[in-house]
Amino acid sequence: PPPPPPRPDELTTHELGAEGERIAMRLLESFGYDIVAHGWTCPAGEVDVIALDGETHVLVEVKTRLCRDRPAPVSAEQAVDARKRARYRAIARWYLGAVGSEVPLRFDVIAISVAADGICSCRHLRDAFGGDR
């Protein structure tokens, strides 16, 4: 038989983040969103996930944290600070230029806390921060 998958506490930060993005995309699809892109890049940076919620284009920041203690000492969504929000607004301008500036757009955050035993909790923050178009 194949070896068991690694425990979350055995993953690198990059591997944990990639797993979090996979979880986030499955979550969005379960809510009826269509995934448009994963890892979309432009000169201003990268968007973890771009999805369609009806006609609204949603730029999604996925924050995944391993929490050895419950509750997590710092929530994953707290990592989306003013600097990250400003970067996302710049990315949004590039994205709107690519798809047309008249599309409805919003920013969501999916915060995932993963325990060492692999059990995770997810929070979906719709319209987590406003954009300036």
Side-chain angles (χ1 to χ4, degrees), residues 10-62:
E10 297 172 338
L11 298 175
T12 67
T13 303
H14 178 76
E15 291 168 335
L16 184 65
E19 183 60 26
E21 289 173 11
R22 286 189 288 275
I23 291 167
M25 286 187 288
R26 287 194 308 268
L27 180 69
L28 290 169
E29 288 173 330
S30 77
F31 293 154
Y33 290 53
D34 292 315
I35 304 302
V36 174
H38 173 231
W40 187 84
T41 59
C42 69
E46 179 180 347
V47 176
D48 293 329
V49 178
I50 300 174
L52 281 174
D53 179 16
E55 298 295 316
T56 302
H57 294 243
V58 185
L59 304 183
V60 183
E61 174 72 10
V62 180

Side-chain angles (χ1 to χ4, degrees), residues 71-88:
V74 176
S75 64
E77 60 267 24
Q78 288 175 320
V80 184
D81 57 13
R83 190 186 67 158
K84 176 118 2 191
R85 290 190 302 269
R87 183 178 64 79
Y88 256 75

Side-chain angles (χ1 to χ4, degrees), residues 4-12 15-16 66 68 114-119:
R7 294 173 41 95
D9 58 354
E10 297 172 338
L11 298 175
T12 67
E15 291 168 335
L16 184 65
L66 178 65
R68 297 181 200 292
V114 181
D117 60 7
I119 296 173

